[in-house]
Amino acid sequence: MLEIIAFVTVLSLSTLVFFLYKLMNSSLLSSIKNISDIEIELKEKGKQTTTIKLVELIRQCKNLPDFLHKVSGTPFLSPCKYGSCQYSGIVATIETMKILQEKGVDPLKFFGVSDLRLKELAKKEKEVLRILSLQMSALTMDEGQTHHIPKPLKSLDDYFHQMKQSSYDLWTVARLAFQSTFQRDLESFVNVKQCQVPSNWLKQELFMESANNFRTGMECYVLKCFGYMKNMDEALVDFT
């Protein structure tokens, strides 16, 4: 009798495990199917707007910058709203995130970013501003800018404005803000095996020099998503 009960218990557990396995795979396949159904409008200057499947566009693109510029419709090294033409890739990244969001795709998950990990390490805004104020004062002293003493920070947007006035580039400013908020570099939150684009695209962009437009665009977008930046476009405009 005990052997029969044990057998039924094992059978029930096996059935449960199999059911959960099928459910997980069904959800995953459904997610992938939803992404494969999404269409993107390509808007190239001087050309008629065309529509293409997102998965097909990924196949056609050479690398991540190519993908971002095509989705966003932002030309390479063109004058942009954030200032220098060098920042066109940042605009392309942020606009791509917005477009994906509008299409019902979670842009963070699309690029393999763990929002749960970000939530675990995110500091309170008051603490972030305290840390950034200390770092700004240290930078001012190191560079001998005694004529430009940082004012008390009111918000993260205010931090971007003040650093802009001190002629810091957007790459440096965004990275410092992200590190101070989440206690890690962006790379620590990205799992290239979980993204919807070729993993080598992310590896090429995230593990190269610090002045990288995709990293900076993603850092700013995450700060906006988590409520630290209130008016992102206004805070990022006119960097040199």
Side-chain angles (χ1 to χ4, degrees):
M1 187 67 174
L2 290 174
E3 291 179 350
I4 294 174
I5 295 174
F7 173 77
V8 172
T9 302
V10 170
L11 182 61
S12 299
L13 287 172
S14 300
T15 303
L16 178 60
V17 170
F18 178 75
F19 174 76
L20 290 174
Y21 171 80
K22 294 292 288 184
L23 181 63
M24 290 173 65
N25 278 275
S26 175
S27 299
L28 179 60
L29 288 173
S30 175
S31 174
I32 294 173
K33 182 180 179 182
N34 289 339
I35 291 176
S36 68
D37 289 340
I38 290 171
E39 294 184 337
I40 298 293
E41 291 183 351
L42 301 183
K43 302 175 183 178
E44 295 184 61
K45 190 175 182 180
K47 294 184 179 181
Q48 188 174 359
T49 300
T50 58
T51 302
I52 186 174
K53 294 282 188 181
L54 178 58
V55 290
E56 181 58 32
L57 179 60
I58 293 172
R59 292 191 193 100
Q60 291 182 11
C61 290
K62 299 176 293 184
N63 49 39
L64 188 54
D66 186 30
F67 173 75
L68 297 171
H69 283 277
K70 284 182 178 176
V71 173
S72 66
T74 306
F76 282 101
L77 294 176
S78 61
C80 68
K81 59 185 175 181
Y82 295 159
S84 169
C85 62
Q86 298 177 87
Y87 300 140
S88 63
I90 299 175
V91 175
T93 300
I94 292 174
E95 291 305 313
T96 295
M97 303 295 149
K98 292 178 182 178
I99 291 171
L100 290 174
Q101 187 76 54
E102 291 170 0
K103 296 291 182 178
V105 178
D106 185 329
L108 299 185
K109 290 182 180 179
F110 184 82
F111 288 106
V113 178
S114 172
D115 56 346
L116 291 176
R117 182 70 172 149
L118 286 165
K119 289 175 184 176
E120 288 175 0
L121 293 176
K123 288 183 173 292
K124 292 184 178 180
E125 184 176 15
K126 185 176 181 181
E127 177 64 9
V128 173
L129 297 180
R130 186 189 71 81
I131 293 170
L132 287 172
S133 294
L134 291 173
Q135 292 175 330
M136 288 172 65
S137 297
L139 287 170
T140 299
M141 295 300 292
D142 288 344
E143 298 185 8
Q145 296 184 30
T146 53
H147 62 287
H148 188 84
I149 300 174
K151 300 176 183 177
L153 291 176
K154 301 175 183 178
S155 65
L156 193 62
D157 295 44
D158 185 32
Y159 157 76
F160 275 85
H161 286 305
Q162 289 200 41
M163 292 293 277
K164 181 194 313 177
Q165 291 173 356
S166 296
S167 300
Y168 285 97
D169 62 73
L170 183 48
W171 301 301
T172 301
V173 174
R175 195 166 198 183
L176 188 58
F178 189 91
Q179 290 172 335
S180 300
T181 304
F182 299 104
Q183 309 178 61
R184 303 281 191 282
D185 282 325
L186 175 65
E187 296 93 302
S188 301
F189 302 97
V190 178
N191 185 343
V192 296
K193 295 180 181 179
Q194 297 292 326
C195 66
Q196 297 293 333
V197 296
S199 59
N200 64 300
W201 286 9
L202 292 180
K203 291 176 182 177
Q204 290 170 2
E205 295 302 311
L206 291 175
F207 301 102
M208 57 190 302
E209 72 279 359
S210 59
N212 177 272
N213 284 330
F214 171 70
R215 180 195 290 116
T216 301
M218 182 63 81
E219 287 167 343
C220 292
Y221 188 81
V222 170
L223 289 167
K224 168 64 176 176
C225 285
F226 278 75
Y228 292 96
M229 294 185 77
K230 312 305 180 187
N231 191 329
M232 179 173 59
D233 284 338
E234 183 179 322
L236 302 184
V237 74
D238 292 336
F239 268 86
T240 56

